[in-house]
Amino acid sequence: MSLRIAIDAMGGDHAPLSVIKGVSLFLKDFHSHYPSLSLHFFGDQAVLAPLVKAEKFPAHVDIIHCPTQVQDDMKPLEVLRHSKETSMRRAIEAVAEGHADVVISGGNTGGYLTLAKMILKTLDGVDRPALASLWPNLKSHSLVMDLGANLTCSAENLVEFAMMGDSYMRYIVGRHQPTIGILNVGTEETKGNEALRQAAATLKELPDIHYHGFVEGYDIFRGTTDIVICDGFLGNIALKTAEGAYGTFKNVLSQTFQHSWLTRLSFLMARGRLKTTFGQIDPRNYNGAIFLGLRAPAIKSHGGADSFAYSRAIKIGAEMVACKGLNNHIQAKIQGIYP
Amino acid sequence: MSLRIAIDAMGGDHAPLSVIKGVSLFLKDFHSHYPSLSLHFFGDQAVLAPLVKAEKFPAHVDIIHCPTQVQDDMKPLEVLRHSKETSMRRAIEAVAEGHADVVISGGNTGGYLTLAKMILKTLDGVDRPALASLWPNLKSHSLVMDLGANLTCSAENLVEFAMMGDSYMRYIVGRHQPTIGILNVGTEETKGNEALRQAAATLKELPDIHYHGFVEGYDIFRGTTDIVICDGFLGNIALKTAEGAYGTFKNVLSQTFQHSWLTRLSFLMARGRLKTTFGQIDPRNYNGAIFLGLRAPAIKSHGGADSFAYSRAIKIGAEMVACKGLNNHIQAKIQGIYP
């Protein structure tokens, strides 16, 4: 399969090194799937050239020099106005102009959403694209959205998210009748605010949507529903709290096994299995959130992603390119309901 | 020390059994600290009498019959109007009338806040009491507030929370210069919404307050600041997500150790130590959130608390009664700043 990736090499806390190394890891694992691969790196030529050269990528590679970059503390409007020569914007434009199939960035989330929306355009009937990703849970995975692109959402936005998530789970993940929950402070119908209650009332009435009800923070991990809908503020806090919890667990467990010769021996005996388990629930494995609702694939890597995490985000991007029908599915669903 | 506790025996998902058993566990661990203990159970006499009798509490016990209870799906205004004969309201009134030193309930959070505010009154200058509790982190503990009582908060509310949290950490926990963070989607000053940015600007200027800046979900677990301030929506989602993460983690770890005879043997060798570790980070250990800003102590137990978790909430309540000076501290702080 042919794959052309536009990479904002300057976006992310550890960029560009984590980005270049991440691409390298991706190729190590998946190069055989993509014999015809083009990598377009957007960023500071002088910085990138030696890094890219050192990796000897087995792919077509070019570096597109961009003198500036979108800063993490820029507000969306500021990004709109002052991003002409930035690596993020140029990478997005490469997709819009047909030079690449997917764009990946670990930069400023709000700025990325604003630029992607303006340059790639939203699907007909979609007001706001949503940032979505799969989380591991006790059963398998659930899709959580929005994760930080839309900090406040109306009831209509949440309903739209639910429909896009439904398409994703059916079409990409293969769930037949995905159930949908709205994240709230309690499961009772009276809980939360007006937007949540309105969204719940609408979803309950929609044909071919399996609305479960309000869900709480722990339901994400219990796998109570296939899809969890929330505004980007809640989603972002939940995501990062879960990551923090994972880090703490790992840390205290490793201290526990260091306690005595007996616990150290115990660790050696279970090491292989523990490594597998920790790998399965490692948040880095789930890096790479998708902007659902755009006309072309755009992937957001976590700002703090290391190279391994970044390689996972590229994998998500490659999967999105392979599944060309998703947008038709979303489009039909949304237009069926808002004809 | 003398201690008189008013217990809403009907509040919580597993009430009244978890409540009665929780009191029993509390007495098992701490009875020696409170030779003069009175337990006032509020609820359905016919249900409670046999349960209470069976425990043979080594304390003065009475049951105050309340024909109804506050339902989980009642909105705060509904609770205000239709709670006259409920176990929650009567238990709060017992404190207001001087029959008890502290009230504990695992019932409807919003309803509890509304009633406690009306009956116990807030301290002078406090607009809204906040639900606060200590969370374990990599360094020790941090105070997170609000956890679900105030779903939307103004900048002024958040600043008030910060001042009350500061007093709690200094006076009860003994931190000399507690640092304060505001929970947000990023650490940059431009992130979040207007209320958060305004609160940050005010806190930065306050004398004797050590404002650190915005913090993210994982900072709660890293212990970046001693106090984390947020609205009740975010706090509730973060709390329950962390609990869900703990449950999943425990579950996958136990599956890991069941994998083969080798991993089972490994578990046996480290069991004692693992049990200690899991106990330390067990969310049940941290059950019992405090309404800071009320004139008398009111403790909120988690709705889903089991008896062990409930016993921890009673312990928190007992500690609050012992620390009579906290409210003077809060009062002075708030009036110094809003004279």
Side-chain angles (χ1 to χ4, degrees):
Chain A
M1 226 192 92
S2 128
L3 177 64
R4 300 167 306 158
I5 314 176
I7 298 159
D8 169 13
M10 311 309 282
D13 304 347
H14 314 295
L17 195 61
S18 58
V19 172
I20 308 288
K21 293 280 179 198
V23 175
S24 205
L25 278 178
F26 170 75
L27 282 173
K28 218 173 112 194
D29 291 344
F30 302 103
H31 183 232
S32 61
H33 297 49
Y34 306 100
S36 167
L37 183 70
S38 306
L39 303 169
H40 306 290
F41 292 100
F42 293 80
D44 187 327
Q45 168 93 35
V47 176
L48 294 179
L51 294 173
V52 168
K53 199 176 166 195
E55 295 297 328
K56 299 192 179 69
F57 291 117
H60 169 82
V61 175
D62 55 21
I63 298 172
I64 297 91
H65 178 64
C66 309
T68 60
Q69 62 193 81
V70 172
Q71 302 298 328
D72 281 347
D73 60 355
M74 284 167 88
K75 292 191 187 182
L77 266 180
E78 220 178 322
V79 173
L80 261 193
R81 282 182 202 141
H82 307 287
S83 60
K84 268 241 155 107
E85 299 293 307
T86 60
S87 53
M88 183 190 278
R89 182 162 183 163
R90 296 287 303 276
I92 300 170
E93 284 169 349
V95 174
E97 290 159 7
H99 307 311
D101 305 307
V102 55
V103 50
I104 299 171
S105 175
N108 184 322
T109 311
Y112 191 18
L113 170 69
T114 311
L115 288 177
K117 210 178 143 180
M118 179 185 75
I119 298 165
L120 300 178
K121 313 283 184 213
T122 53
L123 294 171
D124 289 340
V126 172
D127 178 31
R128 294 203 205 171
L131 204 51
S133 86
L134 288 172
W135 288 29
N137 60 42
L138 287 179
K139 293 175 186 167
S140 66
H141 298 90
S142 46
L143 189 75
V144 185
M145 61 198 284
D146 180 279
L147 293 174
N150 302 285
L151 295 190
T152 52
C153 294
S154 66
E156 290 73 27
N157 294 145
L158 295 171
V159 169
E160 225 171 80
F161 295 175
M163 287 193 284
M164 297 194 291
D166 180 85
S167 289
Y168 185 87
M169 289 307 272
R170 286 176 197 255
Y171 197 82
I172 308 273
V173 182
R175 299 263 162 96
H176 289 308
Q177 300 199 323
T179 53
I180 297 174
I182 297 179
L183 192 61
N184 200 340
V185 295
T187 55
E188 299 82 6
E189 287 195 355
T190 50
K191 293 280 157 134
N193 56 41
E194 200 44 39
L196 297 191
R197 289 190 292 267
Q198 256 187 45
T202 307
L203 286 177
K204 232 189 277 179
E205 301 301 322
L206 286 188
D208 210 24
I209 282 278
H210 300 272
Y211 178 63
H212 168 92
F214 290 142
V215 294
E216 301 183 76
Y218 18 66
D219 289 303
I220 303 176
F221 285 98
R222 287 181 190 156
T224 306
T225 56
D226 295 303
I227 302 163
V228 176
I229 297 299
C230 56
D231 68 42
F233 225 121
L234 292 184
N236 191 276
I237 298 296
L239 178 71
K240 289 174 180 169
T241 303
E243 284 177 11
Y246 173 84
T248 302
F249 293 147
K250 209 175 152 184
N251 195 296
V252 295
L253 204 65
S254 117
Q255 281 171 20
T256 302
F257 282 119
Q258 289 299 319
H259 185 251
S260 65
W261 67 267
L262 193 65
T263 55
R264 279 196 288 272
L265 181 60
S266 152
F267 173 71
L268 288 178
M269 287 159 66
R271 181 162 61 176
R273 205 59 215 162
L274 284 168
K275 224 179 140 179
T276 309
T277 296
F278 273 90
Q280 277 162 0
I281 58 172
D282 186 342
R284 297 183 307 158
N285 247 326
Y286 301 91
N287 183 43
I290 305 151
F291 277 118
L292 288 178
L294 290 175
R295 288 177 187 268
I299 305 296
K300 169 74 176 79
S301 168
H302 201 307
D306 64 9
S307 55
F308 173 73
Y310 201 89
S311 75
R312 300 291 109 171
I314 303 175
K315 179 174 169 267
I316 301 269
E319 285 167 6
M320 283 293 285
V321 174
C323 296
K324 289 193 195 303
L326 174 66
N327 275 352
N328 293 337
H329 206 280
I330 292 178
Q331 191 78 82
K333 181 148 224 136
I334 287 195
Q335 292 194 321
I337 284 152
Y338 300 124
Chain B
M1 226 191 94
S2 128
L3 177 64
R4 301 166 305 158
I5 313 177
I7 298 159
D8 169 13
M10 312 309 282
D13 304 347
H14 313 295
L17 194 62
S18 58
V19 172
I20 308 289
K21 293 280 179 198
V23 174
S24 206
L25 277 179
F26 170 76
L27 282 173
K28 218 173 110 193
D29 291 342
F30 302 103
H31 183 232
S32 60
H33 298 49
Y34 306 99
S36 166
L37 183 69
S38 307
L39 303 169
H40 306 290
F41 292 100
F42 293 80
D44 187 327
Q45 168 93 35
V47 176
L48 294 179
L51 293 174
V52 168
K53 200 176 166 195
E55 295 296 328
K56 299 192 178 69
F57 290 117
H60 168 81
V61 174
D62 55 20
I63 298 173
I64 297 91
H65 179 64
C66 309
T68 60
Q69 63 192 82
V70 172
Q71 302 297 328
D72 280 347
D73 60 355
M74 285 167 87
K75 291 191 189 182
L77 266 180
E78 221 179 322
V79 173
L80 261 193
R81 282 181 201 141
H82 308 287
S83 61
K84 267 241 156 107
E85 299 294 306
T86 60
S87 53
M88 184 190 278
R89 182 162 182 161
R90 296 287 305 277
I92 300 170
E93 285 169 349
V95 174
E97 290 159 6
H99 307 311
D101 305 308
V102 55
V103 51
I104 299 171
S105 175
N108 184 321
T109 310
Y112 191 19
L113 171 69
T114 311
L115 288 177
K117 210 178 142 179
M118 180 186 74
I119 299 165
L120 300 178
K121 313 284 184 211
T122 54
L123 294 171
D124 290 340
V126 172
D127 178 31
R128 294 202 205 169
L131 204 52
S133 86
L134 288 173
W135 288 29
N137 60 42
L138 287 179
K139 293 176 185 166
S140 66
H141 298 89
S142 45
L143 189 75
V144 185
M145 60 199 284
D146 179 280
L147 293 173
N150 302 285
L151 295 190
T152 51
C153 294
S154 67
E156 290 73 26
N157 294 145
L158 294 172
V159 169
E160 225 171 80
F161 294 175
M163 287 193 283
M164 296 194 291
D166 180 86
S167 288
Y168 185 87
M169 289 307 273
R170 285 176 198 255
Y171 197 83
I172 308 274
V173 182
R175 299 262 163 97
H176 289 308
Q177 300 199 323
T179 53
I180 297 174
I182 297 179
L183 192 61
N184 201 338
V185 295
T187 56
E188 297 83 8
E189 287 194 355
T190 49
K191 294 279 157 133
N193 56 41
E194 200 43 41
L196 297 191
R197 288 190 292 266
Q198 254 186 46
T202 307
L203 285 178
K204 231 189 278 179
E205 300 301 322
L206 286 187
D208 211 24
I209 282 276
H210 300 272
Y211 178 63
H212 168 92
F214 289 142
V215 294
E216 301 183 76
Y218 19 65
D219 289 303
I220 304 176
F221 285 99
R222 288 181 189 155
T224 307
T225 56
D226 296 302
I227 302 164
V228 176
I229 298 299
C230 55
D231 68 41
F233 224 121
L234 292 184
N236 191 276
I237 299 296
L239 178 71
K240 289 173 180 169
T241 303
E243 283 176 13
Y246 173 84
T248 301
F249 188 73
K250 208 174 155 185
N251 196 297
V252 295
L253 205 64
S254 118
Q255 281 171 20
T256 301
F257 282 118
Q258 290 299 319
H259 185 252
S260 66
W261 67 267
L262 193 65
T263 55
R264 279 196 288 272
L265 181 61
S266 153
F267 174 70
L268 288 178
M269 287 160 65
R271 181 161 62 176
R273 206 57 217 164
L274 284 169
K275 224 179 138 179
T276 309
T277 295
F278 272 89
Q280 278 163 358
I281 58 173
D282 186 343
R284 299 183 306 159
N285 246 327
Y286 301 91
N287 182 43
I290 305 150
F291 278 118
L292 288 178
L294 291 174
R295 288 176 187 268
I299 305 296
K300 169 74 176 78
S301 168
H302 201 307
D306 64 8
S307 54
F308 173 72
Y310 201 90
S311 76
R312 299 292 109 169
I314 304 176
K315 179 173 168 267
I316 302 269
E319 285 167 5
M320 284 292 285
V321 174
C323 296
K324 288 191 194 305
L326 174 66
N327 275 353
N328 293 338
H329 207 280
I330 293 179
Q331 191 79 83
K333 182 149 224 136
I334 288 194
Q335 293 195 317
I337 284 152
Y338 301 122

